[in-house]
Amino acid sequence: MTRAGLGLALLGCALAACDQRGSGAGGGAQAAGSAAAALTTNLKPLPGHESDAPKLTRKTTVRMQTTAGDLVIDVFPEAAPHAVQRFLELVTSGFYDDTPISRVVPGFVAQFGVNWREPHKAWKEKKFADDPTYFALERGTLAFAKAGANTNSTQVFINYAQNNRLADPRYNFTVFGEIVSGMDVVDKFVRVGDPSNGLDQDRLWQDGGAYIESLPEKPTMITHATVVDAAR
């Protein structure tokens, strides 16, 4: 198995194993930002992190259109700065457009983030460092999937249920945002491929278009994602 293939396999195994276990201007502007009021959000600190979880004062809103309906997603740079930066880079580059919801495990997660087309495919190998994990993996929250420490790149999962076991230091999956509208749409995502691991990720990365076309039942597709309200 290639190194890339091993990483993809580990990514699926990491989440699958957890499933089994649980089933002014200038400086003045910065000072003003630090004193800003906390946002109203459903994100909750993880148990034990009530005192050290950062205050959330900024957010960016993304609208994601899918063949099952639309999602509105808020992401919070203070919750997970590396993850939010990457997610917004991918959204603005068009990476998520015309890509499948590749894994749906009811009661656990829905996962997306494979684009086999050029130039988007190059993002697969652009890993970014983990953020500290401060917030609970409640229903409707988002985190990047990975195959080990500091291997986040493009794939994201939405929690169908409370999955705080994924915050264990062995896994360190980090919440960076939440679905603020459209969880009923997420509940309608089509379950395809292997019941636990979804579609074959090697085949998706190699030639996802032909692979999806060959499937008797088609996955839910993300048709377009865009930033609709920048951080403030």
Side-chain angles (χ1 to χ4, degrees):
M1 181 177 289
T2 66
R3 182 177 178 183
L6 177 60
L8 287 169
L10 288 173
L11 185 151
C13 290
L15 280 177
C18 294
D19 189 15
Q20 291 163 2
R21 287 183 175 90
S23 318
Q30 184 175 357
S34 64
L39 296 168
T40 299
T41 170
N42 290 320
L43 262 59
K44 302 174 184 176
L46 279 163
H49 286 280
E50 292 84 357
S51 63
D52 62 349
K55 183 169 76 169
L56 304 180
T57 66
R58 295 182 295 131
K59 69 177 181 180
T60 295
T61 301
V62 170
R63 181 177 299 279
M64 183 172 285
Q65 298 167 291
T66 81
T67 52
D70 290 1
L71 312 178
V72 178
I73 301 166
D74 281 348
V75 298
F76 305 93
E78 292 146 328
H82 296 129
V84 167
Q85 179 179 343
R86 174 56 59 86
F87 184 70
L88 294 178
E89 286 173 340
L90 293 169
V91 168
T92 56
S93 73
F95 178 91
Y96 292 119
D97 294 358
D98 301 314
T99 63
I101 307 297
S102 58
R103 182 183 181 211
V104 177
V105 184
F108 185 41
V109 299
Q111 189 167 318
F112 61 91
V114 176
N115 193 332
W116 55 93
R117 306 173 185 90
E118 300 295 349
H120 303 296
K121 187 176 181 178
W123 283 103
K124 176 175 176 283
E125 302 303 327
K126 296 179 181 179
K127 314 299 185 188
F128 68 90
D130 293 346
D131 292 295
T133 299
Y134 290 112
F135 292 93
L137 288 93
E138 299 278 355
R139 174 175 164 83
T141 57
L142 291 87
F144 271 86
K146 57 185 177 179
N150 305 311
T151 62
N152 316 269
S153 62
T154 65
Q155 298 200 56
V156 171
F157 62 90
I158 303 168
N159 289 290
Y160 275 120
Q162 189 257 76
N163 288 319
N164 283 346
R165 63 194 177 280
L166 299 178
D168 184 285
R170 291 174 296 169
Y171 313 119
N172 194 43
F173 291 102
T174 304
V175 166
F176 69 89
E178 64 176 340
I179 306 290
V180 294
S181 175
M183 269 308 290
D184 58 326
V185 173
V186 178
D187 289 333
K188 293 187 289 186
F189 285 170
V190 179
R191 190 179 193 183
V192 289
D194 181 85
S196 294
N197 295 317
L199 298 179
D200 184 319
Q201 293 194 12
D202 284 332
R203 292 184 66 185
L204 276 178
W205 281 114
Q206 289 167 8
D207 190 356
Y211 176 35
I212 291 171
E213 184 62 29
S214 74
L215 297 172
E217 184 175 25
K218 303 299 188 281
T220 302
M221 299 292 290
I222 299 169
T223 57
H224 184 56
T226 186
V227 173
V228 295
D229 193 2
R232 60 184 189 277

